[in-house]
Amino acid sequence: MSTFRRRSGFSRPAVWAALGVLALTVFFAGLGQGPFIDRDEGEYATVAQEMINRADYVIPHVNGRAYYEKPALFFWMLVGSFKVFGQNEAAGRLPSALCALALTALLGWFARRHGDELTARLTVLFSLTSFLVVTLARVALLDMPLTLWTTLTLILFYEGYVAGEGRGRRWFLGAWAAMGLGFLTKGPVGVAVPLMAVFPVVVLNRDLWRTLRRAEIPLGLLVFVAAAAPWYVLAFLREGRLFWEGFFISQNVTRFTEVLLGHGAPLWFYLPVLALLVWPWSFFAAPSLWRGLARTRRAERAADPEAARDFFLAWWFVTGFLFFSAAATKQPNYILPCVPPLLLLAARWWRDRLTAAKAGEREALAATVSAGLFGLVPVGFLLALGWILPRAWAEAVAGINPDSFEYALAAQPPELGWGASATALLLAAAVLAGLYFHRRRRRRGRVLASLALGALIFLGGMWGAVLPEMMDYLQTPARALAWSVRAEMGPDDRLAAYGLYKPTLWFYTGRHIERVRSHEDEKLKETLASEERVFMLSRLSLLPRLQEEPDFRLFRTEGGYVLGGNPAAAGETVR
């Protein structure tokens, strides 16, 4: 390791300073760029907005109704950020970014404590260049806070577990508190992920009863209850059976056993998700993951602290992966709690590779070539995107269910410009450079540098060009119409949405929006026939149907979105 450090040409403070600048850049730069996205960002931001408006911080509400889907901790974080920095996109995303920064620092600390300086640096670098980590740090979703709490729970548990007899008390109590915060962030999953990870480790180590005696269970349960229970008790006392059924049954049991909102996927769904969204580090974690699982001899783990750590990390990943894969409802962001052990295992592999400690040439060849070839998949997709979009657009627009799809698409697809092609070409160059350097011995550092640069190019290209263009196309017109109608409406006016379920409109209009589904013809007629001023938001594809109504007036269109209203809203005299 000392030889590698001397050859790298960078001092320890310089490396950490560079990583610090990279962390601030990827997590915070342009955090308020672009409107909130649907559906979850819009819902969560609206919940925090309504908490402030209602001065009710116990029962979340959205669009005027009780919102039982998630516990309150993340919404409290959003409320605090909104009160300090204003109700805007940057403030809404700041809690996730801060949690990501804390998660990265935590992983670096753990890697240093149970490894060395180089492993810690690599762990931090891999976290800052993983697309899934950075993406979920830059959106107002619960996944990053949940992952911080589950990771903190498991790391604190491990510290207590490996501490000497009588010296693990504070670590175990910290783990109980962190698990309580996880439960207060997303409910039972905040408990299930840590407990499932711990169980096979202590059983296979034949340490179950000893661990139960040491884990401070009576006091730990009190700590857990103190962290999580007060809000649940208050919510149940206020809402009773509705809260129990809405949160525990519908949003937890049903979400695990049934497909909700069309988010179903096959059992192998998370394999390509991890391969692509944690590229290329997921490929280099695989050898360490396999060795960690294969170390079934307790004597080997007892004699080698790194073997014991890899065993723990491997089961942490495998149990979480199986849990999320078994759930009927799947989304790419759900798998984030399984990413920290992958990053730690990948850093361990690269540490061994760079110091010529253990990683063999065949293993390195398989991992590097697999990562390189898979890295060409997004290259091909980004290059083909400009050709695919125009040809698939009309069919995609025609297949939309207007009452469930949140985005209104214009007749023409978005113009991605040079961003997608430039990202693809630069990424291809970085991947090919990594493969080239792998052929030459003693160029291991250059292989790592090439792949890390490729991950940064992928990350920067997507967040600097491709995703902003897409979100500007999908969301900016809706935000513009929402701001327009917000400025126009009086306190007694009504706002409706026809064939458009779009939570971000609740936030940007600051209004409760009446929902009229595309098949509810009578409700549409009654709404437009009102003597009150009624403004109506809809989608361009439904404009011909709206114009069949004699009481509909078109005010404005933006992209694929429509703003209209009834004669009273148009300023006409209503007889």
Side-chain angles (χ1 to χ4, degrees), residues 39 261 400-407 499-501 515 539:
R39 138 180 340 199
L261 302 175
I400 287 174
N401 180 344
D403 296 312
S404 61
F405 188 68
E406 298 92 344
Y407 304 104
L500 183 64
Y501 183 81
R515 187 177 185 186
R539 55 180 78 234

Side-chain angles (χ1 to χ4, degrees), residues 403-424:
D403 296 312
S404 61
F405 188 68
E406 298 92 344
Y407 304 104
L409 306 180
Q412 298 300 319
E415 295 287 342
L416 298 181
W418 56 268
S421 299
T423 301

Side-chain angles (χ1 to χ4, degrees), residues 170-417:
R170 62 191 177 104
W171 298 111
F172 285 125
L173 291 178
W176 282 103
M179 190 162 63
L181 294 175
F183 190 63
L184 192 55
T185 298
K186 207 173 180 180
V189 68
V191 175
V193 169
L195 291 185
M196 287 190 304
V198 164
F199 184 73
V201 173
V202 298
V203 169
L204 292 173
N205 282 340
R206 299 180 186 176
D207 255 351
L208 177 60
W209 299 115
R210 175 176 170 269
T211 303
L212 290 175
R213 288 195 302 271
R214 296 183 60 220
E216 300 291 335
I217 291 178
L219 184 56
L221 283 172
L222 289 176
V223 171
F224 174 85
V225 168
W231 176 80
Y232 283 96
V233 172
L234 287 173
F236 184 75
L237 289 176
R238 279 186 51 176
E239 301 294 302
R241 186 172 59 87
L242 291 175
F243 171 72
W244 176 264
E245 293 179 351
F247 178 73
F248 286 102
I249 304 301
S250 175
Q251 289 301 314
N252 287 278
V253 176
T254 304
R255 186 176 290 271
F256 190 86
T257 58
E258 299 177 16
V259 176
L260 295 183
L261 302 175
H263 298 309
L267 284 173
W268 47 263
F269 173 72
Y270 288 117
L271 287 174
V273 167
L274 290 170
L276 178 62
L277 300 186
V278 193
W279 182 89
W281 315 125
S282 50
F283 290 90
F284 299 106
S288 294
L289 176 65
W290 172 253
R291 281 194 291 272
L293 291 173
R295 282 169 169 157
T296 55
R297 295 183 179 179
R298 289 189 300 130
E300 179 185 359
R301 297 195 297 275
D304 184 355
E306 287 196 338
R309 188 199 71 164
D310 288 356
F311 182 73
F312 173 72
L313 293 174
W315 279 107
W316 175 357
F317 170 77
V318 167
T319 54
F321 180 83
L322 293 176
F323 172 75
F324 289 110
S325 296
T329 302
K330 298 181 180 69
Q331 292 196 77
N333 48 300
Y334 289 175
I335 199 65
L336 184 64
C338 297
V339 171
L342 279 186
L343 299 177
L344 289 161
L345 290 167
R348 163 74 186 279
W349 187 91
W350 267 107
R351 189 282 309 269
D352 291 345
R353 180 69 179 157
L354 292 172
T355 57
K358 296 179 182 178
E361 290 302 319
R362 288 185 179 179
E363 181 179 286
L365 175 65
T368 305
V369 171
S370 298
L373 292 177
F374 201 87
L376 297 177
V377 172
V379 170
F381 175 77
L382 289 171
L383 287 176
L385 197 57
W387 182 87
I388 294 172
L389 277 179
R391 287 158 179 79
W393 197 254
E395 184 176 347
V397 172
I400 287 174
N401 180 344
D403 296 312
S404 61
F405 188 68
E406 298 92 344
Y407 304 104
L409 306 180
Q412 298 300 319
E415 295 287 342
L416 298 181

Side-chain angles (χ1 to χ4, degrees), residues 9-132:
F10 296 101
S11 65
R12 178 184 299 178
V15 172
W16 284 113
L19 289 173
V21 171
L22 180 60
L24 294 176
T25 301
V26 300
F27 290 153
F28 297 97
L31 197 59
Q33 179 185 23
F36 287 125
I37 57 175
D38 287 295
R39 138 180 340 199
D40 291 341
E41 267 200 316
E43 286 190 353
Y44 299 160
T46 304
V47 168
Q49 185 184 66
E50 293 209 19
M51 275 187 167
I52 295 171
N53 294 340
R54 290 171 171 266
D56 180 358
Y57 302 101
V58 177
I59 302 299
H61 285 77
V62 66
N63 200 34
R65 60 174 175 82
Y67 185 79
Y68 302 130
E69 294 190 12
K70 300 294 183 291
L73 180 57
F74 183 64
F75 303 134
W76 293 339
M77 296 167 70
L78 289 181
V79 166
S81 188
F82 280 167
K83 287 192 172 184
V84 174
F85 301 106
Q87 295 184 23
N88 55 67
E89 291 88 356
R93 292 162 180 159
L94 183 61
S96 291
L98 291 173
C99 287
L101 187 64
L103 175 68
T104 301
L106 177 64
L107 293 177
W109 175 84
F110 183 76
R112 180 66 184 86
R113 185 175 174 85
H114 294 278
D116 51 41
E117 186 79 13
L118 178 57
T119 310
R121 295 177 186 177
L122 291 171
T123 301
V124 171
L125 175 65
F126 295 173
S127 178
L128 299 178
T129 53
S130 294
F131 184 81
L132 186 62

